Amino acid sequence: QLTLDQARKIAARFARGSVGDVEIVDTDSGPAIVVINNQRKAGTTNFLLLQKRDGKFRLSAQGRLDAEKFSHANWSSELIDADEDGFEELLFTGKDPSESRNLRRVVLFVPNDERTYSMQITGETTPRGTPRIQWLSNAAGADAAAYRTALRQKARSMIKK
């Protein structure tokens, strides 16, 4: 059984920046490590998916967290089962480093599919208190419906804080 401490040490071998949040998830091909690769100064923070192949953990996917017009952010992760299939997905939340802006970016990563779904929220709400969400193109389509629901719920919880 892989511990978080072991996962953090393994992830450190692959990270170019500092190791941020580390999660262990079950996938179709066994346990995997997902880590935030903090490269905040450069504005290029990303995440890494490490899976065991031939007895060793190897980089099997990576994705950008910082993006154009949203970089140098503070990123955290949490596990959720967004599509209720028994496999956990990762919800990455980034906060704009500028204290004057309430901009946040949320990226949901599905390890089994190696797909991401993203949105941004500005902190603004509708008159009924619903967060205004800017959906990114990867969150469009019928296959993303369950993930949009999870992202909406996260947006509501972030606005309430």
Side-chain angles (χ1 to χ4, degrees):
Q1 186 74 332
L2 187 63
T3 67
L4 270 178
D5 204 38
Q6 291 168 325
R8 181 170 293 284
K9 286 177 184 167
I10 293 166
R13 295 195 309 248
F14 293 89
R16 289 212 172 102
S18 64
V19 173
D21 288 358
V22 175
E23 306 286 355
I24 300 169
V25 295
D26 284 324
T27 66
D28 289 337
S29 54
I33 301 168
V34 182
V35 59
I36 294 176
N37 181 20
N38 278 322
Q39 298 181 55
R40 196 165 164 219
K41 279 187 179 167
T44 56
T45 296
N46 61 359
F47 67 87
L48 309 174
L49 173 65
L50 309 172
Q51 291 182 297
K52 228 177 200 179
R53 282 195 308 259
D54 301 324
K56 289 184 177 178
F57 276 96
R58 301 176 192 278
L59 179 65
S60 60
Q62 58 186 332
R64 290 184 60 184
L65 294 175
D66 278 346
E68 191 177 327
K69 298 181 184 172
F70 191 91
S71 61
H72 309 284
N74 288 318
W75 286 94
S76 62
S77 68
E78 65 184 277
L79 294 172
I80 64 166
D81 186 0
D83 55 1
E84 299 177 347
D85 66 350
F87 289 99
E88 291 177 309
E89 289 81 32
L90 282 100
L91 199 57
F92 298 105
T93 306
K95 184 172 181 350
D96 192 294
S98 165
E99 290 302 316
S100 62
R101 292 177 55 191
N102 230 355
L103 190 63
R104 293 182 184 217
R105 183 174 166 89
V106 182
V107 177
L108 189 140
F109 174 60
V110 184
N112 268 330
D113 300 341
E114 297 183 4
R115 294 190 61 172
T116 58
Y117 304 91
S118 313
M119 70 169 186
Q120 286 188 170
I121 57 173
T122 61
E124 298 171 8
T125 59
T126 65
R128 294 175 63 196
T130 305
R132 293 199 190 277
I133 296 173
Q134 300 167 340
W135 294 104
L136 282 81
S137 60
N138 63 7
D143 62 325
Y147 305 119
R148 281 193 303 272
T149 299
L151 288 165
R152 261 190 223 98
Q153 288 171 343
K154 181 64 178 176
R156 282 189 193 105
S157 74
M158 289 165 52
I159 293 295
K160 289 178 185 171
K161 290 181 181 175

